[in-house]
Amino acid sequence: MRTTSPVTRVLYRELLRSAKLLDKHAAVKALMCPSEVADSAICHKAVMGLHQHQLCYWPYESAKQRMRALFRTSPASSEALDAAFRGLRYLNAKLHLAQEYDLLHVESDELPSRPPRITTTIRRGVFLIAHPLTVRPFEQSVVLLTRHDTKGTKGVIVNDEGDAKQSSLHSYPVESALQAAFPSHPLLYGGPVATNSIQFLHPHAELGGSLVTPDEVDTPVFIQHDLSVLVKPAHANIDRSKVTFVHGHASWVPKQLQRELDAGGWLMVEAPLALVLNPPAKNLWVHMLQELGDEHAAMSRIPKSVDFYVPPEVETI
C-alpha cells in the first residue's frame, strides 16, 4: 500500500512477519482455502495467487513475496487497509490452529537421497498423493493407478486398512483354503467403487493379472482379480509376503482425474512400486511426503480428521 501512515507501516510489517511464518511452516499454507476469505476481494486474490489459482495448496512460492507484491501495488484506500486487517486476522487464526496441532515445526533442510519424483503424466504405475485437506474416502490416501486409457482411469488406495470389520479375508465369503493360506494378511480399503470385490497386487508373473508397472520396469507388479490362482498347487511356493489384498477401487471418467489434478486435489508422483508390496513402517502418505522433502515434508505433519476451516467474516449491521 502506497500510503506511509504509521498504522499502515506497522500493519504491513505484521503481515510480512506472519507471511514469513507461513513460509517457514509450509503446513499452514496447505491449510488455507480461498473460500475462507471470500468476504475480501484483495485477500481472496492473495490466497488464490499463493495457490497458483488452484483450490488447494502444493509447494509453489513464497507467501512473503506474494504478500509484498500484492499490498505494495494496491492503491491506498480504505478497502486496502480493511483487507490488510482482514488478512492479518486470517493469518493469525491459521497460525493459531497450526500451533494447536503442533504444526509449527522446523523441518530439516536435508533432502532424501532418492525421493519420489513429481510427474504430470497420468499413466498406470504412478501414485496419487491426496492433499492434506482431502476428506473421506480419500483422506490422506495414496492411490496407485492401475489403468489409464480413453475409457477413464482406475486405481486402488494402498495405505488404508479401512473399517476394522472389513480388514481381513475372514470378513468376506472367500475359499477356506485361501483364508488358511493367508490367515493374517490385512485387507486394504482400495476405494469406494465395488467394495465387495477383492483383488490383489503381486510381483509374480505366474499368477497372472493386468500389468500395473510400465513395460520397461525390471520388477513388475500385477493386479489380479482371480483369487483362486493363489491356492493352486502349482503356486504353493510363491512368496506370500509380497501379496497385497485390497477390496474396492477408485475410478474416474475420462478427463475427471486431470480436472482434480488441475484443482490441486492430488499430487502425482513416480515412486518404487516396492512401496506397495513392502510398505514402510509409517503410513505411506506420510512417508512419501517426507521423502519429497522441504515443504512437502512439513505438510506430512497435518493430522487427519481435523476441521481447519476458518469461516469468512460476516459483516453485521
Side-chain angles (χ1 to χ4, degrees):
M1 292 175 289
R2 294 170 187 169
T3 179
T4 57
S5 71
V7 172
T8 301
R9 288 197 296 270
V10 170
L11 185 57
Y12 180 64
R13 285 197 296 268
E14 285 299 306
L15 277 169
L16 287 184
R17 185 184 67 82
S18 295
K20 287 179 183 178
L21 282 174
L22 261 65
D23 286 335
K24 191 175 182 180
H25 307 288
V28 188
K29 288 191 279 190
L31 302 181
M32 299 173 72
C33 180
S35 65
E36 296 173 323
V37 286
D39 54 293
S40 169
I42 294 177
C43 292
H44 186 267
K45 181 180 179 181
V47 176
M48 285 296 291
L50 186 66
H51 285 47
Q52 294 287 288
H53 300 281
Q54 294 186 339
L55 297 179
C56 301
Y57 175 83
W58 288 108
Y60 296 121
E61 62 174 287
S62 163
K64 174 186 171 184
Q65 296 302 325
R66 171 61 55 178
M67 199 71 63
R68 177 175 286 160
L70 179 65
F71 282 96
R72 277 189 171 178
T73 57
S74 297
S77 66
S78 59
E79 180 188 7
L81 193 61
D82 289 344
F85 276 113
R86 173 70 178 96
L88 187 59
R89 291 195 299 272
Y90 175 64
L91 293 182
N92 287 338
K94 283 296 182 184
L95 288 167
H96 177 76
L97 274 172
Q99 185 175 27
E100 183 179 348
Y101 288 94
D102 194 30
L103 297 179
L104 301 186
H105 175 81
V106 179
E107 301 292 340
S108 169
D109 292 332
E110 183 180 353
L111 293 176
S113 57
R114 296 181 61 189
R117 186 174 65 177
I118 296 173
T119 181
T120 57
T121 304
I122 302 175
R123 59 173 176 80
R124 58 183 169 87
V126 299
F127 292 93
L128 301 176
I129 303 175
H131 188 273
L133 297 186
T134 300
V135 297
R136 295 290 294 173
F138 295 109
E139 184 179 22
Q140 295 195 1
S141 64
V142 176
V143 177
L144 171 64
L145 295 188
T146 58
R147 196 198 80 189
H148 177 68
D149 53 33
T150 56
K151 296 180 180 179
T153 308
K154 284 188 176 182
V156 289
I157 300 172
V158 292
N159 69 321
D160 190 345
E161 294 187 3
D163 189 336
K165 295 180 180 179
Q166 297 177 303
S167 60
S168 74
L169 292 176
H170 298 280
S171 305
Y172 289 82
V174 298
E175 292 183 48
S176 57
L178 184 64
Q179 293 183 7
F182 297 88
S184 58
H185 258 59
L187 177 61
L188 301 181
Y189 171 71
V193 181
T195 55
N196 289 326
S197 174
I198 300 176
Q199 55 257 311
F200 64 96
L201 295 157
H202 67 90
H204 308 294
E206 62 269 30
L207 293 179
S210 301
L211 187 64
V212 174
T213 46
D215 298 330
E216 66 273 12
V217 174
D218 293 334
T219 303
V221 173
F222 301 86
I223 186 165
Q224 172 63 278
H225 298 266
D226 183 4
L227 302 183
S228 67
V229 300
L230 288 169
V231 292
K232 290 183 177 180
H235 303 149
N237 295 323
I238 64 165
D239 185 353
R240 294 174 181 172
S241 68
K242 294 184 178 180
V243 172
T244 300
F245 293 101
V246 295
H247 70 96
H249 66 271
S251 181
W252 295 264
V253 299
K255 299 183 180 181
Q256 180 186 358
L257 178 56
Q258 186 61 61
R259 290 194 295 269
E260 293 181 12
L261 286 163
D262 291 341
W266 301 97
L267 184 68
M268 190 161 54
V269 301
E270 298 173 349
L273 271 294
L275 290 171
V276 176
L277 305 176
N278 298 290
K282 66 181 69 174
N283 185 283
L284 188 57
W285 183 85
V286 173
H287 173 82
M288 282 194 168
L289 287 176
Q290 289 183 346
E291 286 290 289
L292 284 167
D294 199 25
E295 290 196 352
H296 295 97
M299 292 167 69
S300 74
R301 295 173 53 83
I302 297 175
K304 294 178 69 173
S305 305
V306 175
D307 184 4
F308 289 101
Y309 187 69
V310 174
E313 294 181 355
V314 179
E315 185 176 352
T316 57
I317 300 176

